[in-house]
Structure formats: structure tokens, C-alpha cells
Amino acid sequence: MDFSLLRNIISRYCAGEENWVDSRTVYIGHKEPPPGAEAYIPQRYPDNRIVSSKLIIDTPTSPVTSGLPLFFVITVTAIKQGYEDWLRHKADCSINECPVDVVQQEKVVRTQSHKLRVGDIVMVREDETFPCDLIFLSSSRDDGTCYVTTTSLDGESSHKTYYAVPDTMAFKTEQEVDSLHATIECEQPQPDLYKFVGRINIYKDKEEPVSRTLGAENLLLRGATLKNTHHIYAVAVYTGMETKMALNYQSKSQKRSAVEKSMNAFLIVYLCILISKAVINTVLKYAWQWSPDRDEPWYNHRTENERQRHVVIRAFTDFLAFMVLFNYIIPVSMYVTVEMQKFLGSYFITWDEEMFDEELGQGAQVNTSDLNEELGQVEYVFTDKTGTLTENNMEFIECCVDGNVYIPHAICNGQILSAASSIDMIDSSPGGYRREYEDLFFRALCLCHTVQVKEEETVDGIKRGIHQGRPTSFYISSSPDEVALVEGMKRLGYTYLRLKDNYMEILNKDDEIERFELLHVLNFDSVRRRMSVIVKSISGEYLMFCKGADSSIFPRVVSGKVEQVKAHVEQNAVEGLRTLCVAYRRLSESEYQEACHYLTEAKLALQDREQRLAQAYDVIERDFVLLGATAVEDRLQEKAADTIESLHKAGIKVWVLTGDKMETAAATCYASKLFRRSTQILELTKKRTKEQSLHDVLFELNRTVLRQRSISGLSVDCLDFGLIIDGATLSAVLKPSQEVSGHGNYREIFLEICRNCSAVLCCRMAPLQKAQIVKLIKSSKEHPITLAVGDGANDVSMILEAHVGIGIMGKEGRQAARNSDYAIPKFKHLKKMLLVHGHYYYIRIAELVQYFFYKNVCFIFPQFLYQFFCGFSQQPLYDTAYLTLYNISFTSLPILLYSLVEQHVTIDTLKREPSLYRDIAKNSLLRWPVFLYWTCLGVFDAVIFFFGAYFLFDNTTFTSNGQLMTTNTQMMFGNWTFGTLIFTVLVFTVTLKLALDTRHWTWINHFVIWGSLLFYVIFSLLWGGIIWPFLNYQRMYYVFMQMLSSGPAWLSIILLITVSLLPDVIKKVLCRAICPTATERAQVSEKLLPGGVAELTPLSFRRSYKGRSTDSTLLHLGAAETLSLHSSSPLPQKLLAHLAEGGGSDLTSLSPYMLRLSGAGFAYYAPGPETPV
């Protein structure tokens, strides 16, 4: 059967669908090609709309038999998730409705972003963001270039140069651009940001079309920003969800927390218990009724047809009846309470004043509240570098020239200098020989770069670059390091002015302009780790200046003060500064011509161009004279290092995933304390895999870490490993074909290496590679909880892939913040987000879940036991009102409030002791042993309730009510009195159990807990004390009052509550005494009085070395107060000797030396005169 017609219909009428081919043809301005040029095939493309909202509603699934609670659960969940999705939809609309300028009929027309179509010609002005992927046609600049920042795409805030199509770069007006008649043939959308293949066919009259190749240098990506260019014209080639930025977004899937998964698992267990109870009761019912004298009682009023119904049908009906009777063991209301707890609890993050940033004027945001408790379970943090860890603001610190250190605006050769705008740094250095080196060094840094100069820039109506009424230059570059170096040279007296007509101009310290002809630029690459320029001075001298990493410069140096410079570089590296070495070489005419020959030959090669250029660079860059080194600081965000250190102490592994260069990223990792100086760095990079095969490198690294792990098991001192991997090597490691190549599973080896490293740096990562790394760790056999944090659109993929995604409201736009689960102003706020909020959320919701299952077992298990005493007749033990209100009114508010405000330890303690986070790791409070303990505790309490009431009920003393024991009085205590007694003990026990677990008491805790118990009593009195006209029968009339009028009833209630709570109290006391957790020890330390010694707290003593002093002894009174005892103080030496000999282990040994504590201070009493301490 031929389905081609059906396929054509679907392709034609389904929006956004087309027959998939390897290329597409774009008709610029939507004009058909000339007749006979080519067949015109209209194609359909998606519009420019971005969609991130889910437009679906997820509801918890639970086997319930009551329609109203289920409807309530679905409604509450739908409202909550619908509201959150509506917020995402609003954010999408704000992007889709952004204004865009489109050229139509020789005019610029303003339209909305989502109305853009493939083929539209767009005009973009300076500082505007590209609305879709565009082919660059022409620019306001004469050279047909424009400068773009791709911060939101790859994390680099540097300026990149893009080039217009040569045949269209001369078009300067809308009329000229609109007259263009051309088509573009290119590949279908690909997620690779750095790759594009296509060609443009330009039609001129009736001539053959002119074809020009298109590459990544012609493609302007959505999300990038136009800089340093007044305006450009470009044609839309990829729109909407086909843009490279959108293709790098991970599909947004519903995230479920570990707590929710545990709830579902526990629910399955309770469902099995429910079915088991129903089956057991059904079987026992028919076993009990098997005897003819135990048939169904006459009062059930069964018809003859019902009695003659098949036994299987009757058994199934009874089974369903028991399911309905016992269905309350399934905590349906728990889902409603959990949803309310998550929704209300999320406001504590937004209300946190410590997470409010004054500069941005914003605080933390919660985009989804489903993952609050997951913040307390994080094991891996994946963070971006630029704009997340750093401020992306580099500063020139110092330089070393021929062994002499120069610090701008500070000290030069031991002399304090004034902070003038231009300082004559060189005059303070004696000797003509050194002066020559200094001149060459400063000229090298002013010439060896790719910096662009701009006179002024208007930002938000304020002109930048205007100083004292006259324009001054400022610098932009593809590397922030280069800008910092050129600005540093400006502060040292040498100013780079501009590049004009291929001549570089600098202003020297004597205010003289020097001109150098720029002949060649040997660009930086991560393998060489250096860059060079060849220039020609006015005098005709050829000079080659080179700057790069010390490891790439020192081997190529033949003279200079290498040892002094090397020592200074090492010192700067220890301080966490980014260092570069500078060298030069004078070239003769023949040497220059030879270098030109090598470079020209390599650049013209069509095959293996990169390899030939690398060989040419290697031949040319040698025999250098070392001039000196520089030190630049990449400023970290405030408290970024402290945050990472706290995360490490909390047992969280931190990985840095960045698109930046390896050297830049590694320096940041050292500065942020991700890597320490003692860390042994393992490199898994393209450079190393060129020297060895990937297989050999992986196995060598694996042997290294495994050998160290075996050694560390025997020794206290063990090496700390850090891994560096780049994007190219990661692609080879994750390549599926490697797994069947016979060399083994590279993924598992890579994961084994990573597990044994304290920190990992992944550099040169594409956005999808970041997501692949996160997914790799997520799917490993440990299934750890992951968190991703970033600030740009290039981080969105990993944010969506991780269990928890956090966006930084930084300088790179709001893409990450919009697509994240949470948004914070600065990286430092991550510490409180995890260690405080996450800790509290998990503790609270874990108690909520376990408590709900516990109180429902206490509630329904007596009903199960009651069936053994009522002939399995499905007779309820409790009144209908009690069944309905138990979970809704009597016990719901206390646990909801507990889950919102409980603090088992203080906020300051959690921030001061990050290791407490380890106590709740791996979902420790919702593991099966803990769950079984709560369930068994519920069963135990239920047995106490039922049989305690049963045996007390059977006692005639109880029923006498203090009067004569008559038969009528005996009858007054029947079925409903028995159930009410059990229910009363139940409500008080489960509420007091929660009160015992509460550590953070406030007035609202007291109001809700005691108010709930009071409400139960008042309700019972009203429910049984009034004849309600709307009830057909009132079986609870006067039952509650009759029960409370009996003194033994009061005694039995108190006794049963005490016996029920006692085992849990004993268990907690024993656990705290025998094997306390770190959290419990912290709780004990918080109990100590701030002004004195807690009772029964022994004194502890230790030596402390604070600052430079080594002779002070700290006398610790519990953990509350500290006495500093200096040997130089007038304290008698007897006490110091007593402490040094180990005395003071008990209070009696200090009896001769009495201590008096007061609010003003401490005083020491020894035999003799008083001596203050």
C-alpha cells in the first residue's frame, strides 16, 4: 500500500512538520528565484515562539476508595502546579513579545519576536540581543565586521568578531538590503554552537548566481548580544525551537524528589497491608461462619437471593467491604498536607533577608516548590565558572621585569608611589640595561594581544569613556586577561591607543606615540598555551613578542633571569593569581622571510591546516629572551571560596563545568579552594590523548587513584586528587562505539576515577556536554542527588538535567533563572540554601511522612483487631464523624505547622557546622529501617489502645461510675463508648508524640497543639451533647459525657497514653546516651546556658594556639564559656601545673581552686589572696 499521499498530507497540514532532508533552502525576503534558476519549493518552518511551560498537570496516584479525598488531592495539586506553570508561561510571553525590527518593502517595521519567520531580514542595533539565528549580511562598520558577546551561550563575556558575507557587506541602507535577491543553502539545525556549514547564492540580473561559503563566523546565534557596532542587517535562518540555543535546552521533564519516591514505595507497602487485612478478614469471616450455628445474624436483613448468591461473589463483596473499612490506613490527606507544606514552606526562601541582594534589588525566587526537601539531599554540585563563581572582572595586580617587581599605584622597588593616573614606574629603576628590558616588556604587553579600543559607549543613557569632559579610550577583547594586562600597562605609563591601517599605536611614558606595523598574529590555542605577534618598528627592526603559560615559555627561552622570574611566578601561583610569562626575539630579514614562508604555506593548505599551522608556530616560536611575568586576579564572587569549602565539609562534591579555557578555569579553581596546593592534578585532555591513546591514559589514571586509595587505607596522610577534562576528550569517553571496541567500558573507568577525586574541572564544555556529565553521574550505580547552578543560557541544559536546578541572577541574562527550579542572586547564597533551608525542609517533611503513616496505623489497626470481637461483620469501631475528621481536623494542623517551623538545631549551628548535613544524607530519615520502626511503633501503640481499653472495659469497677454496680449502668458502656475511649487515647497520644518531637517551641506551636486537643474535646461534647435535627439517628448521644463522668475512665486514658509514649522516649534517651549523632551532640551543646556551666557537664581542657601565641591554655566550661589562662598572668602556677598534669577531669580535683561565674566575668579563687582571671 502506498502511504506517500498520507505522508504528504501530514507534512502539509501539520504545523512545524516537514520531510526531513539534510539541508534547507531559505528565500531571503521570501522572494522566489528567477524563472529557470531552480524549482521553487515552498517550505514550512516553525515560528519564532519559545515554549518552556509544561501545560500538563501531574497528580499523585494512590489507591483510595473515597472519591472526595481523591478529588481534593487532585484539585489542590492542579491549582498549585497550574499556578507555577502559569508563571513560566508569563516568562515565555515576555520573551516572545520582545520588539524586533524587520526590513519589509524597503522600510524597517517593528514586530514581535514570535512573528519572525525564516527568510526575514532583521536589523539589530547595538546592545540588542539577536532574536534568532541569523546570517550576517552587512554592518554599519566599513570593514563589514561586528562584535558580539556570547556570554549567555558559552559563558564567555569577551567580544568576538563576526564577518559579513563579502558580496553583501556594502549594503548600508534598507533599500539596498531589501533589493538583495539570494538564497541560502545550509544544514538542518544542529546543537553544536561552534559549527555551521552553508552557502549563499546571490542572483544578479540574468547571470549565473554567485556562490559564497558560509561558516560559523557568519552565523549570529540567538541569545548573543551585539557590541561595539551601531547596527547590522542579517537574515533569519533558524527560528524558535530550531535555534542552536533552543536545541541545547534539555527537554523539561517532571522532577520528583527522593522523598516523593520514598512516599510512593511506603504507600505500596501500606496498600499491600490493606489488601492483606481485607483478605485475612474475609477468609476468617467465612471460616468462622462455616459452622451452621454461626451463620449471618438475623438482624442483617439479607434477602433470600443474597443468601443464595454464589460464595465467590459474596466473598468478593465482603472483600470490598473490608477494603472500604480499612482504607483509612492509606494516608490520602498526607498528599494534601505535603503539597501545602511545600507551597507554604517555599515562602521562607523568598522571605529570607540574608539571601536578598542590595545591588540587584532582588532576593531568592522559587519557581517550583516540589523539590524543597531535595535541597537537603544534594551529593554533587555542578557549577558554571564565569559569572557564577567569578564576577568576570579581572584586575592587573603586579608584574616582574627582569627580576624586579612592579605594582601599580603601590610600591615599586621598595618605594611608595602616588596614585596618579600615569606613574613613571621606570625612572625609579637604575641602569640603561634594565631600562631597555623594561621598555621591551611594556611594549610587548601593549602589542601582543587582540584588544580593540573604543572611545566611548552609552549604557543606559550614561556615556562611558568620558573623563573630565574629553573622551578617553577603554578596551574590549575576546579575553578578559588581555584587557586587564593592557589596562595595567596604561597605569604603568604605556598606553595602547589603537590599531589603524594595520599599524599599532602606543603612547609611551614620555607621551610620545610609537607606531609598529602588525605583520602576523600567532593566535593562542590551548595546546600551545601561548600567543605571539610579529611587528616591525619605524626603524625597520623586526620583533616577535610572545606571552603564555610558564610551562610553554620557559622551555623556549635561551637567556634572561629565568630563575628569579620562575620563583616569582610560583609565588604568584600560590597566592591564586593567574600568571603569564613574556619573552621576545629579534628577527633578521632572512629569519622574518622564512617565518612568512612557513605561515603562508600553512594558511593556504586545504588539508590538515591546523596541524600545519601548529608545526609552523613550533618552528618560529623559539630562541626567546625572557623579559618577565605578569600576575592578574580573576575576582571571585564574594564568599565563593567559603561556600565551596562549606560544601566540601558537608560531604558534597563540587564539579566546575565551563566553556572557558583550561588555564583560566584551573586558576579559578585554585582561587576558590576547589583545588588546593596539595591537590595532585590528573589531566585527561586532548593534549595528553595526542601523546598517548585514550585507553592508556584512562587506565594509567585509574591505577594511580586506586594505588593511592590502597595506600591511604594504611596511612593517615593521603593524596588529594583533582581531575581536569576537556570537552573533546569527554566526547571520546562517552562515545558509545568505544564500549564495543574491545578496550573496555570507558564510562565506568572514568566514573571510577571521578569517585576518587575530591574535585573535578570540566573545561571547553558545550551546553549539551554539561547535561551529559550531569546525566552520567545521575545514572551511575549510586544514583546520587545532583544540583546544577549557573547563570547563562549555556547552563540551562544541565540545570534541567540535574535533580535540582538553581539559576544565578547574574549579568548574563535571565535564561538560567527562568528555567531553574530556584533562583538566587549570588553563588554565596547557595550555602544557606542547602545547609540551612535544605536541611530544615528535609527534616520537616521526613517527620511529616513518617508521622502520617504512624498515626494512620494507630488509627486503623484497632479497627482490624475489633473485627475479631464482632464476628468479622464489618462493624466500625469509631463513629462516622471521627472517621472523617481524624485526618482533616483533629491531627492535621499540628503536623502541618511542625513541618513549617520546626528547627531541630539553630540556623547559626547549621551554618557553623556544615558537617551536620551528612547526618541526613542518602535519605537517611526515610530509609526502610526507620520506616519499619515508625510502623512497629504505630502497631504497638494500637495494641496498647485496644487491649488496654478492652481489659479496663471488662472491669466492673470501671463501669460503676462511683455508684452501685447495676446491669443498666453496665449496658451504658457499649460499642460506641469503647470506640470513643480508644479514639480519645489515640488523638491525645499521636498529638503528644509530635509535641515530644518538637524542639523549637513558639506561641503558635502551643496554640495549634493544645488547641487541636481542646477542639477535639469541645467537638465531642457538642456532637454527643446535642440532638442534631438533620441526623436520622444519633448513636453518639451522651456517650462522650458519660465516659468522662467516670473517674476510672480518666485514669485509663492517662495510663494508656503514658504506656504508649514510654517506649519511644526510652529509645531516644538510650540512643542519645550510647551513640549520639552529630546533630544530637549539637543539640546538647545548644542547651548549655550562655552565662555559666550546665548541670552535669564535665569540664574539658585543651591547648590552643591562637595567632602567634603558644603559651595560652583554654579552660572550656562545657561548650558555653571559655577562660583564657596565660602563663604570664598573675594566676598561681599551681593551677597551670595542675591542668598540665591532666587534672580537672572532674570537679573534685579542682576543689582547692574554686571558680566563680558571673555576668561581668570570671574570678579564680585559690588559697590566699583573690586573683582575677
Side-chain angles (χ1 to χ4, degrees):
M1 183 176 179
D2 187 11
F3 292 96
S4 60
L5 180 61
L6 180 62
R7 283 198 302 269
N8 291 335
I9 293 174
I10 295 174
S11 174
R12 182 175 181 181
Y13 293 104
C14 291
E17 295 290 335
E18 60 178 315
N19 292 326
W20 185 262
V21 292
D22 293 334
S23 64
R24 64 166 57 182
T25 301
V26 179
Y27 299 92
I28 300 179
H30 307 286
K31 299 174 183 176
E32 300 180 15
E38 61 181 22
Y40 175 66
I41 304 175
Q43 299 184 19
R44 297 177 63 87
Y45 302 107
D47 58 22
N48 200 39
R49 196 183 310 272
I50 291 293
V51 179
S52 66
S53 55
K54 302 189 293 293
L55 300 178
I56 59 173
I57 296 173
D58 293 282
T59 60
T61 57
S62 59
V64 296
T65 57
S66 179
L68 185 60
L70 178 60
F71 174 76
F72 186 56
V73 169
I74 295 174
T75 303
V76 171
T77 306
I79 292 173
K80 172 182 169 292
Q81 295 198 1
Y83 171 73
E84 292 176 350
D85 203 47
W86 176 71
L87 295 178
R88 292 192 185 95
H89 178 68
K90 281 183 60 180
D92 290 342
C93 290
S94 66
I95 297 297
N96 293 329
E97 295 174 2
C98 286
V100 177
D101 292 328
V102 179
V103 178
Q104 293 179 355
Q105 299 178 355
E106 300 183 353
K107 294 181 180 179
V108 176
V109 179
R110 175 143 298 198
T111 185
Q112 292 180 332
S113 176
H114 69 90
K115 295 181 179 179
L116 276 181
R117 298 293 182 270
V118 171
D120 285 346
I121 299 176
V122 180
M123 184 176 80
V124 182
R125 294 181 173 84
E126 186 173 10
D127 292 326
E128 289 183 351
T129 301
F130 300 127
C132 59
D133 290 352
L134 306 165
I135 293 297
F136 184 18
L137 296 178
S138 67
S139 167
S140 60
R141 300 175 66 93
D142 294 333
D143 56 359
T145 61
C146 71
Y147 301 105
V148 173
T149 58
T150 58
T151 307
S152 63
L153 296 173
D154 55 16
E156 296 185 7
S157 60
S158 53
H159 289 60
K160 296 181 174 63
T161 305
Y162 286 80
Y163 301 91
V165 177
D167 296 77
T168 62
M169 61 183 289
F171 296 167
K172 300 298 181 183
T173 65
E174 293 84 6
Q175 293 78 13
E176 291 176 332
V177 173
D178 196 48
S179 66
L180 175 63
H181 203 176
T183 61
I184 295 174
E185 297 176 10
C186 60
E187 61 185 359
Q188 289 292 354
Q190 302 289 339
D192 192 340
L193 297 176
Y194 310 106
K195 179 184 177 185
F196 177 75
V197 178
R199 68 181 179 183
I200 181 171
N201 302 313
I202 302 173
Y203 299 94
K204 297 180 179 179
D205 298 330
K206 295 184 179 180
E207 301 176 3
E208 287 291 321
V210 178
S211 296
R212 293 285 183 262
T213 59
L214 299 174
E217 69 276 6
N218 309 117
L219 183 67
L220 306 173
L221 300 178
R222 177 174 191 153
T225 305
L226 183 66
K227 289 289 185 183
N228 207 17
T229 308
H230 186 268
H231 69 271
I232 64 159
Y233 295 101
V235 59
V237 65
Y238 301 130
T239 54
M241 301 305 290
E242 288 188 340
T243 59
K244 288 183 179 290
M245 183 181 75
L247 291 175
N248 274 278
Y249 284 171
Q250 201 73 358
S251 59
K252 185 167 285 189
S253 58
Q254 179 68 17
K255 296 180 179 181
R256 298 194 180 275
S257 67
V259 170
E260 191 172 350
K261 294 174 183 176
S262 297
M263 285 168 52
N264 294 335
F266 298 161
L267 198 65
I268 292 175
V269 172
Y270 272 61
L271 176 60
C272 294
I273 293 174
L274 171 63
I275 296 173
S276 302
K277 285 183 175 181
V279 169
I280 291 172
N281 277 266
T282 303
V283 171
L284 291 178
K285 174 179 181 177
Y286 283 88
W288 186 76
Q289 292 180 355
W290 192 257
S291 173
D293 59 335
R294 291 181 179 176
D295 197 2
E296 289 198 11
W298 58 270
Y299 50 80
N300 278 350
H301 298 293
R302 295 293 183 93
T303 63
E304 191 62 26
N305 289 334
E306 291 175 337
R307 291 176 179 275
Q308 292 179 359
R309 188 181 298 168
H310 195 277
V311 65
V312 175
I313 297 177
R314 283 189 291 155
F316 181 70
T317 305
D318 287 326
F319 171 78
L320 293 180
F322 281 118
M323 289 284 289
V324 173
L325 184 65
F326 298 140
N327 84 88
Y328 294 95
I329 196 173
I330 303 297
V332 180
S333 59
M334 176 181 68
Y335 284 95
V336 180
T337 307
V338 166
E339 292 292 333
M340 294 177 65
Q341 188 270 347
K342 289 182 177 182
F343 183 73
L344 297 175
S346 62
Y347 283 98
F348 289 106
I349 292 179
T350 58
W351 292 337
D352 193 334
E353 295 181 354
E354 291 185 14
M355 299 176 70
F356 183 85
D357 186 71
E358 296 290 345
E359 181 182 351
L360 294 175
Q362 286 184 306
Q365 296 177 0
V366 179
N367 296 329
T368 175
S369 57
D370 290 337
L371 304 171
N372 292 344
E373 65 276 8
E374 204 81 333
L375 294 170
Q377 293 296 294
V378 174
E379 299 173 59
Y380 282 82
V381 168
F382 299 93
T383 175
D384 181 38
K385 181 189 75 71
T386 309
T388 303
L389 288 179
T390 68
E391 294 180 354
N392 202 25
N393 185 13
M394 299 191 187
E395 181 183 2
F396 179 79
I397 301 299
E398 64 181 33
C399 60
C400 173
V401 183
D402 201 38
N404 300 297
V405 179
Y406 299 87
I407 304 175
H409 300 184
I411 299 175
C412 176
N413 296 334
Q415 298 180 12
I416 300 177
L417 303 173
S418 62
S421 58
S422 295
I423 303 174
D424 190 353
M425 303 291 297
I426 299 174
D427 288 347
S428 60
S429 304
Y433 173 76
R434 184 178 299 172
R435 171 71 178 271
E436 179 187 2
Y437 267 49
E438 290 166 346
D439 286 341
L440 285 171
F441 178 86
F442 294 131
R443 287 193 182 100
L445 290 178
C446 286
L447 298 173
C448 188
H449 56 72
T450 58
V451 169
Q452 305 153 24
V453 182
K454 192 170 183 183
E455 295 301 326
E456 63 180 59
E457 182 181 42
T458 302
V459 180
D460 297 330
I462 301 174
K463 285 191 175 182
R464 176 184 169 190
I466 301 296
H467 180 64
Q468 295 179 350
R470 59 177 183 174
T472 58
S473 61
F474 68 95
Y475 306 111
I476 54 177
S477 172
S478 61
S479 170
D481 297 75
E482 290 189 330
V483 173
L485 291 175
V486 174
E487 288 179 343
M489 293 304 101
K490 186 175 181 179
R491 290 154 57 194
L492 292 175
Y494 274 76
T495 305
Y496 172 63
L497 298 178
R498 60 180 173 174
L499 172 63
K500 183 179 181 181
D501 299 329
N502 220 32
Y503 277 87
M504 303 181 78
E505 298 180 357
I506 62 176
L507 183 69
N508 63 22
K509 66 179 184 61
D510 298 321
D511 289 336
E512 298 173 351
I513 295 179
E514 301 179 2
R515 288 165 54 89
F516 294 85
E517 182 181 2
L518 180 61
L519 301 174
H520 293 283
V521 177
L522 283 62
N523 289 317
F524 178 90
D525 63 69
S526 58
V527 176
R528 288 167 49 242
R529 302 175 69 184
R530 61 183 179 273
M531 77 160 290
S532 302
V533 294
I534 300 177
V535 297
K536 183 180 179 181
S537 66
I538 298 299
S539 61
E541 185 179 22
Y542 294 99
L543 295 170
M544 179 167 61
F545 294 110
C546 180
K547 69 178 180 184
D550 55 341
S551 59
S552 65
I553 296 293
F554 286 145
R556 297 177 177 273
V557 169
V558 293
S559 64
K561 295 186 178 181
V562 178
E563 294 303 322
Q564 294 94 319
V565 174
K566 183 180 293 187
H568 191 72
V569 167
E570 291 176 355
Q571 179 183 347
N572 289 144
V574 170
E575 296 170 358
L577 302 177
R578 300 156 59 91
T579 59
L580 286 176
C581 293
V582 182
Y584 87 106
R585 176 187 173 191
R586 299 182 190 272
L587 299 177
S588 64
E589 180 71 29
S590 61
E591 289 174 332
Y592 170 70
Q593 294 300 333
E594 184 181 2
C596 286
H597 174 72
Y598 281 125
L599 292 173
T600 305
E601 190 178 60
K603 290 178 180 178
L604 292 177
L606 297 178
Q607 300 290 334
D608 302 326
R609 180 181 298 175
E610 292 184 359
Q611 288 82 350
R612 294 196 178 191
L613 277 174
Q615 293 172 2
Y617 293 162
D618 185 64
V619 172
I620 297 169
E621 294 175 322
R622 58 180 58 188
D623 300 332
F624 285 121
V625 177
L626 183 64
L627 292 174
T630 63
V632 175
E633 182 183 20
D634 184 5
R635 289 183 182 173
L636 287 176
Q637 284 199 14
E638 182 186 3
K639 297 182 179 179
D642 174 67
T643 301
I644 289 181
E645 191 172 12
S646 297
L647 295 180
H648 278 155
K649 291 179 180 178
I652 301 173
K653 290 190 175 183
V654 181
W655 290 30
V656 174
L657 312 182
T658 178
D660 215 339
K661 304 181 186 73
M662 185 182 78
E663 296 79 14
T664 306
T668 303
C669 289
Y670 277 109
S672 62
K673 298 183 180 179
L674 185 72
F675 293 158
R676 300 184 179 275
R677 291 301 151 190
S678 59
T679 302
Q680 180 177 340
I681 302 299
L682 307 175
E683 285 194 18
L684 188 56
T685 58
K686 185 178 179 181
K687 177 183 178 183
R688 185 166 183 184
T689 52
K690 279 186 176 181
E691 301 169 355
Q692 292 177 272
S693 67
L694 177 62
H695 175 269
D696 293 340
V697 173
L698 279 172
F699 277 88
E700 180 182 336
L701 295 179
N702 195 32
R703 283 195 298 269
T704 302
V705 296
L706 290 179
R707 186 187 314 117
Q708 181 59 35
R709 187 170 67 178
S710 62
I711 294 174
S712 63
L714 303 174
S715 173
V716 176
D717 300 325
C718 60
L719 279 177
D720 186 22
F721 288 107
L723 177 67
I724 299 178
I725 184 172
D726 57 18
T729 311
L730 179 68
S731 298
V733 169
L734 302 182
K735 199 172 183 180
S737 60
Q738 296 291 350
E739 297 180 6
V740 294
S741 62
H743 292 300
N745 191 337
Y746 289 169
R747 290 172 182 246
E748 289 302 320
I749 301 173
F750 174 68
L751 281 173
E752 186 63 30
I753 296 171
C754 292
R755 288 189 195 102
N756 290 279
C757 293
S758 60
V760 178
L761 166 62
C762 304
C763 51
R764 285 300 181 194
M765 292 281 123
L768 276 182
Q769 285 184 313
K770 294 184 177 183
Q772 288 175 346
I773 282 282
V774 177
K775 187 175 182 179
L776 180 68
I777 298 300
K778 273 178 61 178
S779 57
S780 61
K781 59 184 180 181
E782 297 90 357
H783 297 291
I785 304 300
T786 58
L787 180 146
V789 54
D791 66 328
N794 60 318
D795 305 314
V796 170
S797 294
M798 71 170 181
I799 285 174
L800 296 178
E801 180 63 47
H803 292 93
V804 183
I806 294 183
I808 303 287
M809 304 172 193
K811 303 175 183 178
E812 302 182 12
R814 290 292 188 266
Q815 291 92 336
R818 284 196 306 110
N819 288 275
S820 62
D821 304 306
Y822 304 89
I824 54 178
K826 292 288 190 294
F827 182 78
K828 66 178 181 179
H829 298 135
L830 185 65
K831 176 180 177 179
K832 189 172 185 183
M833 178 76 85
L834 298 184
L835 303 186
V836 178
H837 289 292
H839 199 122
Y840 281 155
Y841 282 137
Y842 178 75
I843 290 287
R844 293 164 180 171
I845 202 167
E847 177 85 8
L848 185 151
V849 171
Q850 300 282 26
Y851 178 78
F852 254 97
F853 283 110
Y854 158 78
K855 73 185 183 72
N856 277 31
V857 170
C858 294
F859 178 45
I860 213 64
F861 198 75
Q863 178 71 72
F864 172 73
L865 296 175
Y866 185 60
Q867 295 305 303
F868 290 86
F869 295 86
C870 68
F872 306 99
S873 61
Q874 294 113 31
Q875 167 68 35
L877 177 63
Y878 311 116
D879 179 64
T880 305
Y882 289 161
L883 287 171
T884 305
L885 297 179
Y886 175 73
N887 282 316
I888 295 177
S889 300
F890 299 149
T891 60
S892 58
L893 277 181
I895 184 59
L896 176 61
L897 185 70
Y898 175 95
S899 64
L900 289 174
V901 301
E902 170 62 8
Q903 295 181 12
H904 60 300
V905 290
T906 63
I907 294 176
D908 292 337
T909 301
L910 289 177
K911 290 194 292 188
R912 187 175 62 251
E913 301 183 26
S915 59
L916 296 179
Y917 194 85
R918 298 172 184 260
D919 274 5
I920 60 171
K922 302 285 187 183
N923 204 16
S924 60
L925 300 183
L926 288 174
R927 290 178 181 170
W928 287 106
V930 182
F931 169 72
L932 292 176
Y933 168 76
W934 279 86
T935 302
C936 293
L937 183 63
V939 171
F940 171 81
D941 290 349
V943 171
I944 295 297
F945 302 158
F946 184 83
F947 288 106
Y950 176 77
F951 289 120
L952 290 172
F953 187 87
D954 195 44
N955 193 327
T956 54
T957 305
F958 171 77
T959 60
S960 64
N961 196 20
Q963 300 177 8
L964 296 175
M965 293 185 294
T966 62
T967 305
N968 290 337
T969 309
Q970 178 84 17
M971 291 299 295
M972 292 181 67
F973 286 84
N975 173 63
W976 299 115
T977 306
F978 179 62
T980 303
L981 176 63
I982 294 176
F983 192 81
T984 302
V985 177
L986 163 68
V987 170
F988 274 80
T989 299
V990 297
T991 304
L992 292 176
K993 168 72 169 71
L994 188 64
L996 289 174
D997 289 345
T998 302
R999 295 190 58 85
H1000 183 65
W1001 284 94
T1002 62
W1003 68 267
I1004 196 169
N1005 289 85
H1006 289 285
F1007 176 78
V1008 170
I1009 288 180
W1010 313 126
S1012 294
L1013 296 177
L1014 183 62
F1015 172 75
Y1016 164 70
V1017 174
I1018 294 174
F1019 174 83
S1020 298
L1021 291 173
L1022 294 176
W1023 183 245
I1026 300 175
I1027 299 178
W1028 299 98
F1030 55 84
L1031 295 177
N1032 294 329
Y1033 56 90
Q1034 195 157 350
R1035 53 197 178 192
M1036 289 296 293
Y1037 180 68
Y1038 212 66
V1039 170
F1040 194 72
M1041 283 76 75
Q1042 178 66 25
M1043 184 190 72
L1044 293 185
S1045 64
S1046 170
W1050 284 87
L1051 180 62
S1052 63
I1053 291 173
I1054 296 173
L1055 180 63
L1056 292 178
I1057 292 173
T1058 305
V1059 174
S1060 301
L1061 294 175
L1062 194 59
D1064 188 51
V1065 173
I1066 294 174
K1067 177 253 182 187
K1068 288 183 177 180
V1069 171
L1070 291 178
C1071 287
R1072 285 174 177 269
I1074 297 173
C1075 53
T1077 63
T1079 302
E1080 290 169 344
R1081 288 193 292 268
Q1083 290 172 346
V1084 171
S1085 66
E1086 287 178 356
K1087 284 183 178 180
L1088 297 177
L1089 300 178
V1093 185
E1095 293 184 6
L1096 302 179
T1097 303
L1099 296 175
S1100 60
F1101 307 92
R1102 64 171 181 169
R1103 293 286 297 175
S1104 173
Y1105 303 95
K1106 185 175 181 180
R1108 298 179 180 273
S1109 176
T1110 59
D1111 58 350
S1112 63
T1113 302
L1114 290 184
L1115 171 58
H1116 281 265
L1117 306 176
E1121 301 291 347
T1122 303
L1123 295 179
S1124 181
L1125 309 175
H1126 296 274
S1127 57
S1128 58
S1129 68
L1131 178 69
Q1133 298 298 322
K1134 294 182 179 180
L1135 176 57
L1136 287 177
H1138 181 74
L1139 299 177
E1141 293 171 0
S1145 58
D1146 55 49
L1147 292 174
T1148 57
S1149 65
L1150 290 174
S1151 55
Y1153 312 97
M1154 294 181 294
L1155 291 171
R1156 184 183 69 189
L1157 283 75
S1158 66
F1162 301 93
Y1164 153 78
Y1165 282 95
E1170 177 180 339
T1171 306
V1173 179

